[in-house]
C-alpha cells in the first residue's frame, strides 16, 4: 500500500508532517490550499478513516498509525476551536 506524508501549517504557524497509509489523502486535501479549521478536520477525518479501512481490508486490522495521526490532528484542532477564523494550510505532499 503506498503511504505518504502531508505537510501542514497550523493557525499559529507551526509546521507538522502528517502520515497517511494511503494516497487517498490527495482526494481530500490540496497542496497550496488553506482550509477553515472545521473543514480541515472533517476532510482529514474522512481521508484517514478511509485509509485505515483500506489497511483493514488488506491486512485484517485498522491502521494504528492513521488513527494515531487523526487523534493528533483532532487534539491540535481543539487548541484553535475558539478562533473563528482559524485556518490550516496544506503545504506539500511527500510520496
Amino acid at each position: 500500500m503506498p503511504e505518504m506524508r502531508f505537510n501542514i501549517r497550523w493557525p499559529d504557524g507551526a509546521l507538522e508532517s502528517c502520515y497517511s497509509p494511503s494516497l487517498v489523502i490527495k482526494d481530500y486535501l490540496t497542496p497550496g490550499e488553506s482550509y477553515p479549521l472545521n473543514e480541515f478536520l472533517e476532510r482529514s477525518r474522512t481521508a484517514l478513516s478511509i485509509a485505515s479501512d483500506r489497511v483493514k481490508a488488506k491486512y485484517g486490522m485498522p491502521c494504528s498509525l492513521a488513527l494515531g495521526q487523526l487523534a493528533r490532528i483532532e487534539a491540535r484542532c481543539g487548541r484553535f476551536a475558539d478562533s473563528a477564523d482559524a485556518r490550516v494550510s496544506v503545504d506539500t505532499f511527500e510520496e
Side-chain angles (χ1 to χ4, degrees):
M1 203 162 251
E3 58 185 27
M4 66 176 294
R5 296 194 90 49
F6 55 106
N7 300 303
I8 61 172
R9 184 177 312 270
W10 290 102
D12 62 0
L15 299 173
E16 184 172 351
S17 178
C18 301
Y19 173 80
S20 173
S22 167
L23 301 180
V24 72
I25 201 78
K26 290 178 159 186
D27 295 337
Y28 292 88
L29 300 174
T30 303
E33 290 293 322
S34 171
Y35 300 93
L37 187 70
N38 288 336
E39 182 180 347
F40 173 77
L41 178 57
E42 285 306 311
R43 286 172 177 264
S44 298
R45 204 176 264 151
T46 300
L48 290 170
S49 294
I50 291 169
S52 179
D53 289 347
R54 288 180 179 179
V55 170
K56 183 177 181 180
K58 187 168 184 173
Y59 299 106
M61 296 179 64
C63 181
S64 61
L65 292 174
L67 298 176
Q69 181 63 69
L70 178 55
R72 286 188 297 281
I73 288 172
E74 290 173 335
R76 193 78 185 258
C77 282
R79 290 191 207 171
F80 303 106
D82 293 336
S83 179
D85 61 344
R87 298 182 74 84
V88 179
S89 299
V90 178
D91 287 351
T92 58
F93 289 153
E94 296 175 27
E95 293 182 51

